[in-house]
Short mmCIF file of all heavy atoms in Angstrom, two decimals:
data_model
loop_
_atom_site.label_atom_id
_atom_site.label_comp_id
_atom_site.label_asym_id
_atom_site.label_seq_id
_atom_site.Cartn_x
_atom_site.Cartn_y
_atom_site.Cartn_z
N PRO A 27 29.60 -3.35 -59.00
CA PRO A 27 29.46 -2.62 -57.74
C PRO A 27 28.67 -1.34 -57.93
O PRO A 27 28.76 -0.68 -58.96
CB PRO A 27 30.91 -2.32 -57.35
CG PRO A 27 31.72 -3.32 -58.06
CD PRO A 27 30.99 -3.59 -59.35
N LYS A 28 27.90 -0.99 -56.96
CA LYS A 28 27.09 0.21 -57.02
C LYS A 28 27.82 1.38 -56.37
O LYS A 28 28.65 1.20 -55.48
CB LYS A 28 25.75 -0.01 -56.31
CG LYS A 28 24.88 -1.06 -56.98
CD LYS A 28 23.57 -1.23 -56.24
CE LYS A 28 22.69 -2.28 -56.91
NZ LYS A 28 21.42 -2.47 -56.18
N ALA A 29 27.47 2.59 -56.83
CA ALA A 29 27.99 3.77 -56.16
C ALA A 29 27.37 3.85 -54.77
O ALA A 29 26.39 3.17 -54.47
CB ALA A 29 27.65 5.01 -56.98
N GLY A 30 27.92 4.70 -53.93
CA GLY A 30 27.34 4.87 -52.61
C GLY A 30 28.00 4.00 -51.56
O GLY A 30 27.42 3.74 -50.51
N LYS A 57 33.16 14.73 -56.82
CA LYS A 57 32.74 13.73 -55.82
C LYS A 57 33.93 12.90 -55.31
O LYS A 57 33.93 11.67 -55.41
CB LYS A 57 31.70 12.79 -56.43
CG LYS A 57 30.52 13.48 -57.12
CD LYS A 57 29.63 14.21 -56.15
CE LYS A 57 28.30 14.60 -56.79
NZ LYS A 57 28.42 15.26 -58.09
N GLN A 60 33.09 9.90 -52.84
CA GLN A 60 32.44 8.77 -53.50
C GLN A 60 33.39 8.05 -54.46
O GLN A 60 33.39 6.82 -54.56
CB GLN A 60 31.21 9.24 -54.25
CG GLN A 60 30.11 9.82 -53.37
CD GLN A 60 28.94 10.32 -54.20
OE1 GLN A 60 28.50 9.65 -55.14
NE2 GLN A 60 28.43 11.49 -53.87
N THR A 61 34.20 8.84 -55.17
CA THR A 61 35.10 8.27 -56.17
C THR A 61 36.16 7.38 -55.51
O THR A 61 36.39 6.23 -55.91
CB THR A 61 35.77 9.38 -56.98
OG1 THR A 61 34.75 10.15 -57.65
CG2 THR A 61 36.73 8.82 -58.02
N PHE A 64 34.67 4.24 -54.07
CA PHE A 64 34.38 3.26 -55.11
C PHE A 64 35.65 2.56 -55.58
O PHE A 64 35.65 1.35 -55.87
CB PHE A 64 33.70 3.93 -56.30
CG PHE A 64 33.44 2.99 -57.44
CD1 PHE A 64 32.43 2.03 -57.37
CD2 PHE A 64 34.21 3.05 -58.58
CE1 PHE A 64 32.22 1.15 -58.41
CE2 PHE A 64 33.99 2.16 -59.64
CZ PHE A 64 32.99 1.21 -59.55
N ARG A 194 33.61 11.24 -70.68
CA ARG A 194 32.87 10.17 -71.35
C ARG A 194 32.13 10.69 -72.59
O ARG A 194 31.25 11.54 -72.50
CB ARG A 194 31.88 9.53 -70.38
CG ARG A 194 31.02 8.44 -70.99
CD ARG A 194 30.30 7.64 -69.92
NE ARG A 194 29.52 8.46 -69.00
CZ ARG A 194 28.95 8.01 -67.89
NH1 ARG A 194 29.09 6.72 -67.55
NH2 ARG A 194 28.26 8.80 -67.10
N GLU A 213 33.11 4.71 -73.23
CA GLU A 213 33.32 3.84 -72.08
C GLU A 213 33.66 2.41 -72.49
O GLU A 213 34.57 1.79 -71.93
CB GLU A 213 32.08 3.86 -71.19
CG GLU A 213 32.23 3.15 -69.88
CD GLU A 213 31.05 3.38 -68.96
OE1 GLU A 213 30.82 4.54 -68.56
OE2 GLU A 213 30.36 2.38 -68.64
N ARG A 230 31.51 -0.17 -62.50
CA ARG A 230 31.42 1.27 -62.78
C ARG A 230 30.62 1.98 -61.70
O ARG A 230 29.77 1.38 -61.04
CB ARG A 230 30.76 1.51 -64.13
CG ARG A 230 29.32 1.05 -64.21
CD ARG A 230 28.57 1.63 -65.41
NE ARG A 230 29.17 1.22 -66.67
CZ ARG A 230 28.95 0.05 -67.26
NH1 ARG A 230 28.17 -0.85 -66.69
NH2 ARG A 230 29.49 -0.24 -68.41
N SER A 231 30.87 3.24 -61.56
CA SER A 231 30.09 4.12 -60.70
C SER A 231 29.63 5.31 -61.55
O SER A 231 30.33 5.72 -62.49
CB SER A 231 30.93 4.63 -59.53
OG SER A 231 30.32 5.73 -58.88
N GLU A 232 28.49 5.85 -61.21
CA GLU A 232 28.00 7.05 -61.89
C GLU A 232 28.21 8.29 -61.01
O GLU A 232 27.56 9.31 -61.21
CB GLU A 232 26.52 6.88 -62.24
CG GLU A 232 26.26 5.87 -63.36
CD GLU A 232 26.91 6.28 -64.67
OE1 GLU A 232 26.68 7.41 -65.14
OE2 GLU A 232 27.69 5.47 -65.21
N ALA A 233 29.13 8.21 -60.07
CA ALA A 233 29.37 9.33 -59.17
C ALA A 233 29.73 10.61 -59.93
O ALA A 233 29.37 11.71 -59.50
CB ALA A 233 30.49 8.98 -58.19
N ASN A 234 30.44 10.46 -61.04
CA ASN A 234 30.91 11.64 -61.79
C ASN A 234 30.13 11.89 -63.07
O ASN A 234 30.60 12.60 -63.96
CB ASN A 234 32.40 11.48 -62.10
CG ASN A 234 33.24 11.49 -60.84
OD1 ASN A 234 33.32 12.49 -60.15
ND2 ASN A 234 33.85 10.35 -60.52
N ALA A 235 28.93 11.31 -63.15
CA ALA A 235 28.09 11.54 -64.32
C ALA A 235 27.54 12.97 -64.33
O ALA A 235 27.27 13.54 -63.27
CB ALA A 235 26.92 10.55 -64.33
N ASN A 236 27.40 13.53 -65.51
CA ASN A 236 26.76 14.85 -65.67
C ASN A 236 25.90 14.82 -66.93
O ASN A 236 26.40 15.07 -68.03
CB ASN A 236 27.80 15.96 -65.77
CG ASN A 236 27.15 17.33 -65.92
OD1 ASN A 236 25.92 17.46 -65.90
ND2 ASN A 236 27.96 18.38 -66.07
N PRO A 237 24.61 14.52 -66.79
CA PRO A 237 23.74 14.44 -67.97
C PRO A 237 23.56 15.76 -68.70
O PRO A 237 23.07 15.77 -69.82
CB PRO A 237 22.41 13.94 -67.38
CG PRO A 237 22.46 14.31 -65.93
CD PRO A 237 23.90 14.22 -65.53
N ASP A 273 30.75 15.19 -68.29
CA ASP A 273 30.24 13.87 -67.93
C ASP A 273 31.42 12.91 -67.91
O ASP A 273 32.24 12.90 -68.84
CB ASP A 273 29.21 13.41 -68.96
CG ASP A 273 28.66 12.03 -68.64
OD1 ASP A 273 28.21 11.83 -67.50
OD2 ASP A 273 28.70 11.16 -69.52
N ARG A 274 31.53 12.09 -66.85
CA ARG A 274 32.70 11.23 -66.71
C ARG A 274 32.32 9.81 -66.33
O ARG A 274 31.43 9.59 -65.51
CB ARG A 274 33.65 11.80 -65.64
CG ARG A 274 34.28 13.12 -66.07
CD ARG A 274 34.94 13.83 -64.92
NE ARG A 274 35.40 15.15 -65.35
CZ ARG A 274 35.62 16.16 -64.53
NH1 ARG A 274 35.42 16.03 -63.24
NH2 ARG A 274 36.03 17.32 -65.01
N MET A 275 33.02 8.89 -66.93
CA MET A 275 32.95 7.49 -66.51
C MET A 275 33.86 7.32 -65.29
O MET A 275 34.87 8.02 -65.13
CB MET A 275 33.41 6.57 -67.65
CG MET A 275 34.87 6.74 -68.04
SD MET A 275 35.37 5.75 -69.48
CE MET A 275 34.95 6.86 -70.82
N THR A 276 33.50 6.40 -64.42
CA THR A 276 34.31 6.06 -63.26
C THR A 276 34.37 4.54 -63.20
O THR A 276 33.37 3.89 -62.91
CB THR A 276 33.71 6.64 -61.97
OG1 THR A 276 33.50 8.05 -62.13
CG2 THR A 276 34.63 6.41 -60.78
N LEU A 277 35.52 3.97 -63.54
CA LEU A 277 35.66 2.54 -63.78
C LEU A 277 36.75 1.95 -62.89
O LEU A 277 37.78 2.59 -62.64
CB LEU A 277 36.01 2.26 -65.24
CG LEU A 277 35.11 2.90 -66.30
CD1 LEU A 277 35.68 2.63 -67.70
CD2 LEU A 277 33.69 2.39 -66.20
#
Side-chain angles (χ1 to χ4, degrees):
K28 295 180 180 179
K57 309 292 194 311
Q60 296 178 43
T61 300
F64 177 74
R194 178 167 54 189
E213 187 171 297
R230 64 164 62 81
S231 165
E232 289 298 306
N234 294 294
N236 181 3
D273 179 52
R274 293 166 186 157
M275 65 185 87
T276 306
L277 308 175

